[in-house]
């Protein structure tokens, strides 16, 4: 296409944070418009990495002007496509530039020795809009949903913990760092054989689940962690965690559920519904206007739960995975 022939693709490490800041600030505004997400803290963290010149990736220039970028991070034998964003005169040009950048990045990763798995979830893009480069490289696609629930403060009366209708031996506890190990064990147990473990291989091991939890709590990629709006369910008879809901703040008045899981042996007892309703009431009373979350479309039981609790689909996007060790993933 004519758009592509005008582009010059250069190594990301040739560019400073100062040069890329205008593009990243434009992207941050798109996150706010499309997903009600204040992306500024993630932008600032990325700019720090860019100035260290360590991120593998590419920049697109149109007649000498920066118009797009993409990057990845390496995690052992895995690479994660961290971002891809471009600007243009219209949507078609923007998507074409993004596709060109992704083609270049995926070629780099496919020829990187020791990389056996590549993952990507680019939330800004509609499902199917940028999958050309991934399909050409042999990726599996998993449609996911970005869902939202608008909180109405007038409809949420104060709710005591004993009104949760939990089984008598289940306690609701606020998140504490004391729960780290048990929470990671619960995440690992919940996702054994689950479709989400195909999308994010951190779920496949206890070490990976600990890393996943650490990333949620310590880094702003999924918003700023809200310990006061995060909960665990504990079996009083043996002290085991049997459920968990973790929340982050992604805008001044928007919360994002980063994890909701119930132990396999406790599913079907209404625990997920109960803790979700409790969290919604808590957030409404704390002044939040909305809750968002992401869920894999094929996870029909979870999608049904969220819809029955008032969540609607705001956006549909793709998770993309290439696994050379398990090519049928």
């Amino acid at each position: 296409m004519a758009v592509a022939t005008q582009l010059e693709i250069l190594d990301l490490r040739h560019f400073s944070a100062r040069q890329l800041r205008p593009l990243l600030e434009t992207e941050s505004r798109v996150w706010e418009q499309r997903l009600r997400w204040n992306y500024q803290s993630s932008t600032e963290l990325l700019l720090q990495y860019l100035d260290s010149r360590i991120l593998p990736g590419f920049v697109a220039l149109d007649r000498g002007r920066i118009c797009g970028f993409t990057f990845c991070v390496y995690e052992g034998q895995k690479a994660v496509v961290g971002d891809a964003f471009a600007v243009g005169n219209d949507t078609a040009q923007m998507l074409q530039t993004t596709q060109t950048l992704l083609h270049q990045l995926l070629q780099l990763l496919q020829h990187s020795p020791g990389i056996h798995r590549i993952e990507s979830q680019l939330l800004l893009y509609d499902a199917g809009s940028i999958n050309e480069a991934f399909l050409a490289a042999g990726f599996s696609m998993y449609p996911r949903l970005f869902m939202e629930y608008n909180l109405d403060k007038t409809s949420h009366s104060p709710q005591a913990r004993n009104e949760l209708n939990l089984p008598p031996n289940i306690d609701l506890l606020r998140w504490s760092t004391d729960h780290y190990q048990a929470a990671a064990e619960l995440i690992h147990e919940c996702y054994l054989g689950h479709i989400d473990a195909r999308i994010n291989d951190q779920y496949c091991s206890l070490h990976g689940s600990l890393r996943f939890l650490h990333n949620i709590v310590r880094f702003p990629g999924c918003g700023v962690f809200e310990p006061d709006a995060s909960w665990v369910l504990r079996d009083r008879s043996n002290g085991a965690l049997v459920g968990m809901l973790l929340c982050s703040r992604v805008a001044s008045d928007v919360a994002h559920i980063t994890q909701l899981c119930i132990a396999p042996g406790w599913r079907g007892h209404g625990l997920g519904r109960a803790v979700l309703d409790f969290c919604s009431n808590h957030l409404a009373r704390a002044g939040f206007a909305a809750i968002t979350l992401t869920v894999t479309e094929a996870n029909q039981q979870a999608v049904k739960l969220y819809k029955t609790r008032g969540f609607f689909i705001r956006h549909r996007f793709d998770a993309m995975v290439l696994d050379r060790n398990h090519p049928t993933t």
Side-chain angles (χ1 to χ4, degrees):
M1 292 181 67
V3 172
T5 60
Q6 297 172 358
L7 290 179
E8 186 179 8
I9 307 296
L10 298 177
D11 192 310
L12 176 63
R13 288 166 289 196
H14 295 163
F15 296 85
S16 67
R18 180 183 59 81
Q19 291 172 292
L20 287 162
R21 179 179 282 276
L23 181 65
L24 291 179
E25 290 182 343
T26 298
E27 182 185 19
S28 185
R29 289 192 291 273
V30 175
W31 273 85
E32 189 166 1
Q33 293 161 5
R34 293 213 70 187
L35 303 177
R36 299 184 70 170
W37 198 305
N38 184 339
Y39 204 61
Q40 199 59 43
S41 57
S42 295
T43 296
E44 293 302 325
L45 183 62
L46 178 54
L47 287 166
Q48 292 178 31
Y49 281 115
L50 289 171
D51 254 346
S52 68
R53 312 290 176 107
I54 59 172
L55 284 178
F58 296 95
V59 168
L61 291 92
D62 184 2
R63 292 180 285 270
R65 294 173 62 90
I66 293 174
C67 64
F69 85 108
T70 187
F71 77 90
C72 66
V73 293
Y74 294 114
E75 298 177 2
Q77 295 184 326
K78 180 175 78 170
V80 178
V81 178
D83 200 359
F85 180 76
V87 293
N89 295 327
D90 53 39
T91 301
Q93 186 182 39
M94 178 199 75
L95 289 175
Q96 181 62 35
T97 301
T98 304
Q99 293 268 28
T100 302
L101 284 162
L102 287 169
H103 270 294
Q104 195 82 15
L105 184 66
L106 294 179
Q107 278 195 332
L108 168 71
L109 293 177
Q110 287 184 295
H111 292 94
S112 296
I115 295 299
H116 299 296
R117 181 179 172 93
I118 307 171
E119 296 177 358
S120 179
Q121 293 190 57
L122 300 173
L123 269 66
L124 285 185
Y125 297 95
D126 292 328
S129 65
I130 55 164
N131 61 7
E132 179 189 316
F134 293 96
L135 289 173
F139 278 67
S140 297
M141 317 298 288
Y142 300 92
R144 306 199 75 221
L145 306 176
F146 189 96
M147 302 185 76
E148 179 179 325
Y149 174 50
N150 291 316
L151 295 165
D152 179 1
K153 294 174 194 171
T154 62
S155 67
H156 289 267
S157 58
Q159 186 178 33
R161 295 183 185 210
N162 60 6
E163 295 174 359
L164 272 169
N165 296 318
L166 292 172
N169 59 322
I170 299 297
D171 290 326
L172 177 78
L173 304 172
R174 202 182 294 272
W175 168 262
S176 160
T177 53
D178 294 339
H179 299 312
Y180 248 112
Q181 184 68 27
E185 291 171 1
L186 176 64
I187 289 171
H188 178 44
E189 178 190 7
C190 287
Y191 288 98
L192 283 173
H194 195 280
I195 189 170
D196 284 0
R198 300 185 213 165
I199 295 169
N200 182 352
D201 75 338
Q202 288 181 322
Y203 291 141
C204 296
S205 69
L206 178 56
H207 173 77
S209 296
L210 272 166
R211 183 168 182 165
F212 168 81
L213 199 55
H214 179 78
N215 288 342
I216 284 176
V217 174
R218 297 293 300 276
F219 295 107
C222 288
V224 178
F225 183 62
E226 283 280 329
D228 289 344
S230 298
W231 318 89
V232 297
L233 297 170
R234 188 173 66 185
D235 185 344
R236 198 180 307 146
S237 65
N238 58 15
L241 296 193
V242 299
M244 171 170 47
L245 186 153
L246 303 181
C247 241
S248 291
R249 183 187 293 263
V250 294
S252 60
D253 61 348
V254 180
H256 185 76
I257 295 174
T258 55
Q259 181 62 225
L260 172 55
C261 60
I262 304 297
W266 280 95
R267 290 170 191 164
H269 293 269
L271 299 188
R273 182 178 66 251
V275 72
L276 186 59
D277 287 349
F278 182 85
C279 183
S280 298
N281 277 280
H282 173 87
L283 290 168
R285 295 196 304 274
F288 283 83
I291 310 171
T292 60
L293 57 82
T294 61
V295 59
T296 303
E297 190 172 46
N299 187 1
Q300 296 177 2
Q301 193 170 359
V303 174
K304 181 180 178 181
L305 168 65
Y306 299 136
K307 285 183 174 179
T308 61
R309 307 328 287 169
F311 283 79
F312 66 92
I313 299 169
R314 184 182 179 98
H315 175 54
R316 189 169 177 266
F317 65 100
D318 284 322
M320 293 79 97
V321 178
L322 179 69
D323 194 330
R324 289 169 175 157
N325 293 327
H326 303 91
T328 57
T329 296

